[in-house]
Amino acid sequence: MTSVAVAVNGGEGVGGRGSRRAVKWAVENLLPQTQRFILVHVIPAITFIPTPSGDRIPIEELDENVVALYVLEVKVKFEEIFIPFKKLCKAQKVETVVLMDDNPASAILNYVSQSGINSLVLGSWSPNCIIRKLKGPGVPTTVLNGSPEMCNVHVVSKRKIITKSTYSSFISEASSRNRMSHERDHKKSSSSINNLVSEPEIYSPYVESKVQKSFGESSLSHRSVKGSEASMKTESSYVQAEIEQLRLELQNTISLYKRACEELVHTQSQVELLSSDIVEEAGRVNAALEREEALRKIAAEEKAKYLQAKTELEEAKELLANEAYERQMAELRANKESSEKQRIVDALFMSDRRYKKYTQDEIELATNFFSQSNVIGEGGYGKVYKCILDHTPVAVKALRSDAVTKKEEFLREVEVLSQLHHPHLVLLLGACPESGCLVYEYLENGSLEEHIFHRNEKSPLPWFVRFRVVFEVACALAFLHNSKPEPVVHRDLKPEYKDSIIAGTLCYMDPEYMRTGTIRPKSDLYAFGIIILQLLTAHQPNGLASIVENAFRKGCFEDILDTSVADWPLAETEELAKIALQCSQLRCRDRPDLDTEVLPVLRRLADSAATRGKVERANTHAPSHYFCPILQEIMDDPYIASDGFTYEYRAIKAWLQRHSVSPVTKLRLQHSMLTPNHTLRSAIQEWGSSKHCQEP
């Protein structure tokens, strides 16, 4: 591949004009026959990088990537030098290269050697004789001397073109002449020849003709030797005369330069002396003015601070007096209200006969003085303990000692629960007004959450049991919402028995209630819908409604069902899930009515589940605790006696008329009060219904 490189220099000076001549000549003579045409420019090597503050950091102290990026930016900036030269190339494809080296000739030679350049073109300009002497051999001379043999070098000056071959011939001829002259003349002549090649424009046409004649005579070896020697002597005399003239010019220029430097140094010293005095005096004046201004500002600021502090002190004194008076009045009102409230609460606790009252000693003894090992739940109200009271497993909900404001909540809960009796609501057995404890019946099968997530070794629930649980919870909610004179809103419905600090658990709390603070019966429907979805999917409640909606949208609802159940009835399960999504709508007005829209569907699904689940229950026998210890038959109306055991009501009633000891333990009964066991009655009835469904 033929390649031509043209070394160019930027700017509008003589160097730039020489480069334009070189490019123009290369375009006219070499570009049509070449395949690659390259413009080359050399810039000094980068040894430091400037900073915005004006400092210069050596590249050795910087990261290689930073240096490389800066070098790339510099090269891109110097690409602008090639713009005027590209215009001379007549829209031909031109490559550009920016080299970095402190020695331009060395950089060009290295590039030519490494890139395999066939032709190299350089421009030449004509400095005066003094500059030629000071600078020594120029870039063209160095390139001609060091260029590889495979590369043709063309030095384009204003008057002629010097190539590598003509330069070599001239050097050979000059060497022959110098061997016949004095060694001093030899050195001067060589210097003149270098100047002739580097800056050819300095010589007159007469000198050029002599050189050309010299070249011509050297090539004709068969001419007369005497004529050649005469020509060489004549040319040598011209060269020596020119050298002598250059020496005289240089001496005069140096003497003038020294005299000018001395005068300049003297003048500069005087200027610097005067400037330093002026700057010093101006600095003292400016410093005095700045100190005066700063002191004025400080005085003004201190005065403003003093006035502001004085005003704030007066306001603080007045505010402190008002706050002290208001605090005293508030404390008096609070003490009065607290005393009145406590008196009313105590009176109500002591006079209410709708529940059994336990003493503080009985509660402490039963809970082993509220031992941590008996704790089964904890929340903002307090802790829940499992213990035995009246030989019956119970759950004691104890008010925290520091939760004084919970007294009203305690009273309200006693007031409400003492009047509510439903098969699917936990039964309130009694209370202890002294310590703020509520005594509930204990449900030994654990929480619904334990069965959903198989915790504490709880087995998974069959699908038909889950359908029945959903229906029974809905029945309990309907019972609460239809209470008179006002509906009862649960507000904290969830599949676990751990209390929450606020009235509700975040993932089950009605979003509209959290936004507006307004509670209504439909607020319970949101939590109810989330619980249904958990029973179907065994997922955590957070974002569960969105997960189910996306599954319906993608047609993969079956994939998110609880895998512990292998025989889900898909049609009924999808219907139940859609009811749950309706209940968990963000706005109350978008949720269905529990009595008219939800319960009928759940009742139908529960009946269908009971029918389809008869195969699973075919071999089920009644548990032993369904039998009355006295009659040894399944109970219809179970009641709890003071010994903690459950009996058929008619049987234990007849027993107590004749005996005062327990039918089971034979120990003396503490009292003859009987408590209905609604939970056991519901379980027996459910079992009986399933048995009837199995019979033909």
Side-chain angles (χ1 to χ4, degrees):
M1 175 183 292
T2 305
S3 57
V4 174
V6 182
V8 299
N9 189 13
E12 296 295 332
V14 291
R17 293 197 294 272
S19 297
R20 286 194 289 274
R21 281 198 302 271
V23 173
K24 186 175 180 181
W25 182 88
V27 169
E28 294 174 353
N29 296 275
L30 302 179
L31 181 59
Q33 294 82 24
T34 188
Q35 295 175 317
R36 291 184 64 199
F37 193 81
I38 309 165
L39 299 178
V40 182
H41 177 65
V42 183
I43 63 175
I46 295 176
T47 58
F48 63 86
I49 294 179
T51 65
S53 60
D55 298 332
R56 299 192 300 178
I57 304 176
I59 61 174
E60 294 82 2
E61 301 177 5
L62 297 173
D63 184 73
E64 295 181 358
N65 296 330
V66 176
V67 175
L69 182 60
Y70 178 74
V71 170
L72 180 60
E73 291 179 356
V74 171
K75 288 186 176 181
V76 172
K77 181 179 179 181
F78 276 97
E79 286 286 338
E80 299 176 358
I81 290 177
F82 299 113
I83 295 176
F85 301 114
K86 288 182 177 180
K87 295 179 180 179
L88 299 174
C89 296
K90 302 177 181 179
Q92 298 293 329
K93 183 176 181 181
V94 179
E95 301 179 26
T96 59
V97 175
V98 177
L99 304 177
M100 300 182 66
D101 201 317
D102 293 331
N103 188 337
S106 175
I108 293 173
L109 289 174
N110 290 336
Y111 175 74
V112 167
S113 177
Q114 294 174 4
S115 303
I117 301 299
N118 302 108
S119 298
L120 175 64
V121 182
L122 300 93
S124 178
W125 59 285
S126 301
N128 59 41
C129 59
I130 297 176
I131 295 177
R132 290 202 310 271
K133 283 299 188 179
L134 292 175
K135 293 181 61 177
V139 173
T141 302
T142 305
V143 172
L144 285 169
N145 289 328
S147 61
E149 295 182 0
M150 67 179 67
C151 179
N152 297 322
V153 181
H154 306 270
V155 180
V156 181
S157 66
K158 187 175 182 180
R159 299 176 182 178
K160 61 182 295 184
I161 307 299
I162 298 177
T163 63
K164 184 177 179 181
S165 59
T166 59
Y167 176 74
S168 299
S169 300
F170 183 82
I171 292 299
S172 175
E173 182 66 23
S175 298
S176 300
R177 293 197 305 270
N178 290 339
R179 280 195 300 268
M180 292 183 291
S181 65
H182 193 271
E183 183 176 356
R184 179 174 57 83
D185 294 337
H186 162 72
K187 293 180 180 179
K188 295 180 180 179
S189 178
S190 299
S191 175
S192 299
I193 292 171
N194 287 336
N195 289 332
L196 176 63
V197 176
S198 299
E199 290 80 30
E201 295 178 3
I202 195 64
Y203 297 100
S204 64
Y206 175 78
V207 175
E208 290 180 4
S209 65
K210 287 295 183 179
V211 174
Q212 291 170 359
K213 287 180 180 180
S214 175
F215 289 157
E217 290 174 357
S218 63
S219 63
L220 300 175
S221 58
H222 298 290
R223 291 188 178 184
S224 173
V225 176
K226 292 182 179 181
S228 175
E229 290 178 355
S231 176
M232 290 173 60
K233 290 180 180 180
T234 303
E235 183 178 356
S236 175
S237 64
Y238 284 122
V239 172
Q240 291 177 0
E242 183 180 1
I243 292 173
E244 187 65 26
Q245 182 183 358
L246 292 174
R247 184 183 298 108
L248 293 175
E249 290 179 0
L250 178 61
Q251 290 177 353
N252 292 334
T253 303
I254 292 175
S255 63
L256 292 174
Y257 175 74
K258 288 182 178 179
R259 188 180 304 112
C261 289
E262 291 174 357
E263 293 177 357
L264 178 61
V265 169
H266 179 69
T267 304
Q268 286 180 344
S269 63
Q270 291 181 344
V271 171
E272 290 177 357
L273 181 62
L274 293 175
S275 299
S276 62
D277 294 340
I278 293 172
V279 170
E280 184 178 356
E281 187 64 27
R284 287 196 294 268
V285 173
N286 291 334
L289 292 175
E290 290 176 357
R291 285 197 299 272
E292 181 182 1
E293 185 65 24
L295 291 174
R296 286 181 179 177
K297 289 183 178 180
I298 292 173
E301 291 175 357
E302 292 298 329
K303 183 177 181 180
K305 290 180 180 178
Y306 169 75
L307 295 176
Q308 183 179 1
K310 185 177 180 181
T311 303
E312 291 177 353
L313 179 61
E314 296 296 332
E315 294 177 352
K317 288 181 179 179
E318 184 178 358
L319 181 61
L320 181 62
N322 293 335
E323 288 181 352
Y325 174 75
E326 292 178 358
R327 183 170 60 254
Q328 291 177 357
M329 297 302 296
E331 289 177 355
L332 291 175
R333 288 193 297 269
N335 291 335
K336 183 177 179 181
E337 292 176 359
S338 178
S339 299
E340 183 67 20
K341 188 180 297 182
Q342 185 63 36
R343 184 182 64 80
I344 295 173
V345 169
D346 293 341
L348 288 172
F349 282 162
M350 299 307 297
S351 61
D352 198 337
R353 300 182 180 278
R354 288 172 296 184
Y355 57 91
K356 182 178 179 180
K357 297 180 179 61
Y358 292 93
T359 65
Q360 185 170 353
D361 293 339
E362 290 177 317
I363 299 296
E364 291 178 350
L365 184 62
T367 60
N368 194 15
F369 294 93
F370 301 102
S371 173
Q372 186 67 26
S373 61
N374 292 341
V375 175
I376 59 175
E378 185 174 1
Y381 180 92
K383 296 181 179 180
V384 181
Y385 300 84
K386 177 187 176 182
C387 59
I388 302 296
L389 277 174
D390 298 331
H391 303 283
T392 303
V394 296
V396 176
K397 185 177 181 182
L399 178 68
R400 289 205 323 263
S401 58
D402 59 339
V404 179
T405 57
K406 296 290 185 177
K407 283 285 187 180
E408 292 185 6
E409 183 179 334
F410 175 81
L411 177 61
R412 183 169 58 253
E413 191 161 357
V414 172
E415 176 71 19
V416 173
L417 294 180
S418 62
Q419 302 180 58
L420 296 177
H421 297 281
H422 189 272
H424 304 312
L425 293 177
V426 179
L427 181 63
L428 177 67
L429 301 178
C432 176
E434 298 177 67
S435 57
C437 294
L438 297 174
V439 181
Y440 295 93
E441 62 175 326
Y442 175 72
L443 304 180
E444 62 182 12
N445 287 332
S447 66
L448 186 59
E449 184 184 44
E450 292 176 338
H451 287 275
I452 293 176
F453 299 107
H454 317 311
R455 296 172 182 168
N456 298 328
E457 300 182 356
K458 299 295 184 183
S459 59
L461 298 174
W463 67 269
F464 50 83
V465 174
R466 303 186 190 210
F467 278 42
R468 176 173 57 82
V469 169
V470 170
F471 174 65
E472 291 177 353
V473 173
C475 292
L477 282 179
F479 172 75
L480 292 176
H481 294 171
N482 291 318
S483 298
K484 301 298 181 182
E486 293 181 356
V488 176
V489 181
H490 192 286
R491 295 198 300 173
D492 197 14
L493 189 65
K494 55 185 180 292
E496 55 185 320
Y497 50 73
K498 180 179 179 181
D499 288 341
S500 57
I501 296 177
I502 59 176
T505 304
L506 186 61
C507 295
Y508 301 94
M509 193 180 297
D510 178 13
E512 189 166 306
Y513 166 56
M514 290 191 292
R515 187 178 68 254
T516 63
T518 303
I519 192 68
R520 62 195 73 185
K522 281 193 176 182
S523 298
D524 287 338
L525 275 184
Y526 182 84
F528 178 60
I530 299 299
I531 292 173
I532 295 176
L533 296 178
Q534 282 191 276
L535 278 167
L536 299 179
T537 63
H539 285 189
Q540 294 296 334
N542 189 20
L544 183 53
S546 298
I547 294 174
V548 177
E549 288 177 351
N550 291 335
F552 272 119
R553 191 179 303 111
K554 297 177 181 179
C556 59
F557 171 72
E558 187 176 0
D559 296 338
I560 66 171
L561 293 176
D562 186 359
T563 56
S564 64
V565 177
D567 55 346
W568 286 105
L570 192 57
E572 290 83 351
T573 306
E574 288 183 355
E575 186 176 6
L576 183 57
K578 291 177 181 178
I579 286 291
L581 290 176
Q582 293 177 15
C583 292
S584 57
Q585 291 294 314
L586 296 179
R587 298 184 301 182
C588 281
R589 65 183 181 184
D590 295 333
R591 298 169 197 160
D593 182 75
L594 179 60
D595 289 331
T596 60
E597 299 179 66
V598 178
L599 269 178
V601 177
L602 297 183
R603 181 179 288 106
R604 175 172 51 80
L605 293 176
D607 292 342
S608 175
T611 301
R612 295 179 62 178
K614 65 181 179 179
V615 176
E616 289 83 350
R617 297 174 177 172
N619 299 321
T620 301
H621 300 283
S624 59
H625 60 277
Y626 286 7
F627 292 85
C628 175
I630 300 175
L631 302 178
Q632 294 300 316
E633 60 183 32
I634 297 175
M635 293 177 284
D636 294 326
D637 193 10
Y639 269 71
I640 304 173
S642 60
D643 60 355
F645 291 93
T646 302
Y647 306 89
E648 179 66 30
Y649 178 75
R650 56 186 175 82
I652 190 62
K653 195 69 174 175
W655 174 275
L656 292 176
Q657 290 177 358
R658 301 191 303 268
H659 307 281
S660 59
V661 296
S662 170
V664 177
T665 64
K666 305 303 180 183
L667 298 177
R668 185 174 183 82
L669 296 172
Q670 296 181 0
H671 56 79
S672 59
M673 293 180 58
L674 298 174
T675 303
N677 193 336
H678 296 296
T679 303
L680 182 58
R681 179 187 294 110
S682 176
I684 294 173
Q685 291 174 352
E686 177 65 24
W687 178 84
S689 299
S690 64
K691 290 296 291 182
H692 289 308
C693 292
Q694 299 171 17
E695 297 176 358

